[in-house]
Amino acid sequence: MLEEVLFVLQLIHLDFFIAFGLVTILYFISRIFIKNQIIEKVDEESNRFISSIGISYMILWLMGIFVQGFNLNEADRTLLLSRMFGKYSFGIWIQPLIWVLMTQLLRFKTIRKNVFLRILFSMLFAISIERMIIVFTSFQRDYLPSSWAVYSEIGIYPSNLFLSLFLKIIVFLVFVGLFYTVTNKFNMQKLRREKS
């Protein structure tokens, strides 16, 4: 069960949070040139979708911690608890809490309409704190440009990178469309029940 929970958490992080950051950047770029109600509606629905995904992410993350804690022996469980609540506990808690906090702040219209905050959120969604620490520490170790390739993703060529980002955006928009369809169906059924 732990493997399935970790897989879903990686899916949410890689395919939803990163794609939402990319869609937000594309939204603000396209909003400069095109004033269209459809683009506004897609942005509103993507904000609603990512807010609900943020809650799901937090529930799954906590569930993964409990499942992992129950599957460990006593020494490993003590080590896990000391990492979670010890001197460097912020390392475990900060990234998921930032993601959940950002997704829930997007429920407020003033934050959704603030360009600076949305761009900041999209950058924080696209680049995790763990990845920033890896890059910064690799720069810190040696200032020579020859060693700047310490952190590199193997097999990522520019064409593959653009294709993977494009597919992430498409998958995210498909899920936003499904979310919109399902919530509209529920709202229509709710209205029918209220009229009856």
Side-chain angles (χ1 to χ4, degrees), residues 11 15-16 19 166-176:
L11 177 82
D15 289 337
F16 293 147
F166 177 71
L167 288 175
K168 282 182 192 308
I169 291 170
I170 295 298
V171 167
F172 178 76
L173 291 176
V174 165
F175 274 94
V176 167

Side-chain angles (χ1 to χ4, degrees), residues 110-126:
T110 55
I111 292 178
R112 279 195 313 259
K113 298 300 177 188
N114 189 335
V115 176
F116 175 72
L117 282 177
R118 288 283 301 276
I119 296 293
L120 177 69
F121 285 2
S122 67
M123 294 298 173
L124 288 174
F125 276 130

Side-chain angles (χ1 to χ4, degrees), residues 88-96 98 123-124 126-142 148 150-152:
Y88 298 107
S89 63
F90 64 89
I92 288 182
W93 294 98
I94 194 164
Q95 186 70 57
I98 284 176
M123 294 298 173
L124 288 174
I127 302 170
S128 68
I129 291 175
E130 177 184 356
R131 185 167 287 176
M132 284 191 290
I133 289 171
I134 291 170
V135 169
F136 290 154
T137 56
S138 68
F139 283 152
Q140 178 266 337
R141 293 176 192 217
D142 192 4
W148 286 359
V150 171
Y151 175 72
S152 64

Side-chain angles (χ1 to χ4, degrees), residues 1-182:
M1 179 174 172
L2 181 63
E3 290 83 20
E4 289 85 6
V5 170
L6 294 176
F7 173 74
V8 173
L9 288 173
Q10 281 295 103
L11 177 82
I12 290 173
H13 169 243
L14 294 176
D15 289 337
F16 293 147
F17 287 160
I18 292 174
F20 177 74
L22 296 171
V23 166
T24 300
I25 291 171
L26 288 176
Y27 165 70
F28 283 117
I29 291 172
S30 66
R31 198 174 80 166
I32 294 171
F33 302 110
I34 304 169
K35 300 285 185 187
N36 192 345
Q37 288 296 96
I38 296 172
I39 295 174
E40 297 287 331
K41 186 68 175 168
V42 168
D43 181 58
E44 287 294 321
E45 289 303 319
S46 64
N47 282 311
R48 287 181 53 218
F49 175 70
I50 206 69
S51 294
S52 62
I53 288 295
I55 293 171
S56 303
Y57 181 83
M58 188 62 173
I59 291 169
L60 284 171
W61 189 75
L62 290 173
M63 191 170 75
I65 287 176
F66 285 121
V67 168
Q68 185 178 9
F70 287 127
N71 289 337
L72 295 175
N73 59 24
E74 191 61 37
D76 290 337
R77 187 176 303 136
T78 306
L79 182 64
L80 177 68
L81 289 174
S82 69
R83 283 183 63 203
M84 288 175 56
F85 302 108
K87 184 177 180 181
Y88 298 107
S89 63
F90 64 89
I92 288 182
W93 294 98
I94 194 164
Q95 186 70 57
L97 291 178
I98 284 176
W99 282 340
V100 170
L101 179 68
M102 286 188 311
T103 58
Q104 299 315 303
L105 285 174
L106 288 172
R107 292 182 183 270
F108 301 110
K109 189 173 185 175
T110 55
I111 292 178
R112 279 195 313 259
K113 298 300 177 188
N114 189 335
V115 176
F116 175 72
L117 282 177
R118 288 283 301 276
I119 296 293
L120 177 69
F121 285 2
S122 67
M123 294 298 173
L124 288 174
F125 276 130
I127 302 170
S128 68
I129 291 175
E130 177 184 356
R131 185 167 287 176
M132 284 191 290
I133 289 171
I134 291 170
V135 169
F136 290 154
T137 56
S138 68
F139 283 152
Q140 178 266 337
R141 293 176 192 217
D142 192 4
Y143 292 110
L144 297 174
S146 63
S147 64
W148 286 359
V150 171
Y151 175 72
S152 64
E153 295 182 12
I154 307 295
I156 299 294
Y157 301 104
S159 61
N160 293 351
L161 179 66
F162 291 127
L163 182 63
S164 69
L165 294 178
F166 177 71
L167 288 175
K168 282 182 192 308
I169 291 170
I170 295 298
V171 167
F172 178 76
L173 291 176
V174 165
F175 274 94
V176 167
L178 289 173
F179 178 76
Y180 176 72
T181 304
V182 168

